[in-house]
C-alpha cells in the first residue's frame, strides 16, 4: 500500500515529536528505535523510510525539543505584564513543573552531560538551535549592546541549566524547592533590577 506524501510527512512528525520527548526523558543512548517505533504502532524497518540514521533523528528531535520549550516560554511571556518578561522566563524555567518533567522541558537541561559526546553533526544542530534561542531571550536582558545582552543571556542560561540539573538530582521535594527558589531569587535580583 502506498501512502500519500502528506501521510509520510505526518508520520515523520509523529516520530520526531515522540523521539524529542523520549530523548529528553531517557537520554540519547537510552532510546531504542525499535521501542520508539513500536510505541507509535510503526515497524522498526519503517524508521529508515524517514531517517538515514538515529543521529539524524536525534538532531531533529532535539531541535523539536527546543521548539516545544520555546513555545511554552513564548506563551508565558505573552501573558506577562510589560516589563516582567525576563522575570517570567526565569520563573518558568526554574519551576517545579519544568524540573519534574524533563521529557517536555529544555533539551539542554535534560541532556547537558551527554551532548559533548554526541557526533559533531548532531552538536552542530544543537548549537544552531541553542544560539537562535539565546538571541531571542537576550533581548529581554540588560546590556548596552546586543553582544552584551547575549553574553548575559549565556550566563543566565548556564546557571539555570545547572540549577535544574542540581534540583533534579536532589532526592526530596523540599531540597528541589530550595534549589529552585534560591536560584530564581538570585537570577531575578541579578538580571531584573
Amino acid at each position: 500500500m502506498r501512502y500519500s506524501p502528506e501521510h509520510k510527512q505526518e508520520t515523520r512528525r509523529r516520530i520526531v515529536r515522540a523521539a524529542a520527548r523520549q530523548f529528553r526523558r531517557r537520554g540519547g543512548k537510552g532510546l531504542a528505535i525499535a521501542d520508539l517505533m513500536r510505541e507509535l504502532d510503526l515497524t522498526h524497518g519503517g524508521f529508515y523510510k524517514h531517517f538515514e540514521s538515529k543521529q539524524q533523528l536525534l538532531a531533529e528531535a532535539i531541535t523539536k525539543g527546543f521548539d516545544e520549550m520555546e513555545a511554552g516560554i513564548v506563551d508565558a511571556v505573552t501573558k506577562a505584564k510589560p516589563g516582567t518578561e525576563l522575570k517570567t522566563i526565569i520563573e518558568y524555567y526554574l519551576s517545579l513543573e519544568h524540573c519534574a518533567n524533563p521529557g517536555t522541558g529544555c533539551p539542554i537541561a535534560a541532556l547537558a552531560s551527554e551532548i559533548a559526546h554526541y557526533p559533531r553533526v548532531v552538536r552542530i544542530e544543537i548549537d544552531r538551535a541553542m544560539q537562535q534561542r539565546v538571541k531571542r531571550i537576550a533581548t529581554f536582558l540588560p546590556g548596552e549592546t546586543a553582544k552584551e545582552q547575549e553574553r548575559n543571556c549565556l550566563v543566565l542560561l548556564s546557571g539555570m541549566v545547572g540549577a535544574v540539573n542540581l534540583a533534579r538530582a536532589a532526592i526530596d521535594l523540599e531540597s528541589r524547592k530550595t534549589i529552585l527558589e534560591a536560584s530564581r531569587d538570585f537570577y531575578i535580583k541579578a538580571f531584573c533590577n
Side-chain angles (χ1 to χ4, degrees):
M1 170 191 248
R2 293 187 56 87
Y3 291 106
S4 69
E6 294 82 18
H7 180 269
K8 186 174 180 180
Q9 288 175 333
E10 179 54 32
T11 300
R12 183 185 178 97
R13 280 192 291 271
R14 284 180 52 221
I15 295 168
V16 171
R17 259 193 322 266
R21 294 191 176 173
Q22 290 294 339
F23 280 128
R24 287 178 283 172
R25 193 175 299 132
R26 295 183 185 168
K29 294 183 176 147
L31 178 68
I33 297 301
D35 293 341
L36 173 69
M37 297 300 281
R38 188 173 29 260
E39 179 184 306
L40 296 169
D41 291 325
L42 299 168
T43 65
H44 181 264
F47 173 82
Y48 294 99
K49 293 178 183 174
H50 299 281
F51 303 95
E52 292 178 20
S53 66
K54 185 177 177 179
Q55 290 177 358
Q56 182 186 15
L57 175 61
L58 176 61
E60 288 185 37
I62 290 174
T63 299
K64 177 68 174 168
F66 275 112
D67 292 344
E68 290 174 356
M69 183 67 184
E70 183 176 9
I73 289 173
V74 167
D75 183 55
V77 166
T78 57
K79 294 174 184 172
K81 293 179 184 177
T84 65
E85 295 89 353
L86 181 58
K87 182 177 184 268
T88 300
I89 291 168
I90 293 168
E91 290 171 343
Y92 181 88
Y93 197 97
L94 295 173
S95 68
L96 274 173
E97 183 178 344
H98 181 222
C99 182
N101 296 293
T104 58
C106 175
I108 298 297
L111 302 168
S113 64
E114 292 183 23
I115 291 172
H117 304 289
Y118 288 167
R120 181 172 171 72
V121 66
V122 175
R123 289 186 8 245
I124 288 169
E125 288 301 313
I126 293 169
D127 187 63
R128 184 176 300 134
M130 186 175 68
Q131 292 305 321
Q132 288 174 348
R133 277 48 182 208
V134 166
K135 286 187 184 308
R136 290 182 191 137
I137 294 171
T139 62
F140 298 110
L141 273 100
E144 298 292 320
T145 64
K147 186 137 184 109
E148 189 177 333
Q149 287 176 304
E150 287 174 23
R151 287 175 55 89
N152 287 335
C153 187
L154 290 171
V155 169
L156 174 62
L157 289 177
S158 62
M160 292 195 308
V161 166
V164 168
N165 274 289
L166 189 60
R168 285 178 178 163
I171 58 171
D172 63 81
L173 183 59
E174 285 307 309
S175 295
R176 280 187 209 112
K177 284 182 181 178
T178 300
I179 293 164
L180 294 171
E181 287 172 7
S183 299
R184 269 194 313 266
D185 291 347
F186 178 83
Y187 290 117
I188 288 169
K189 286 177 188 169
F191 291 104
C192 297
N193 295 328

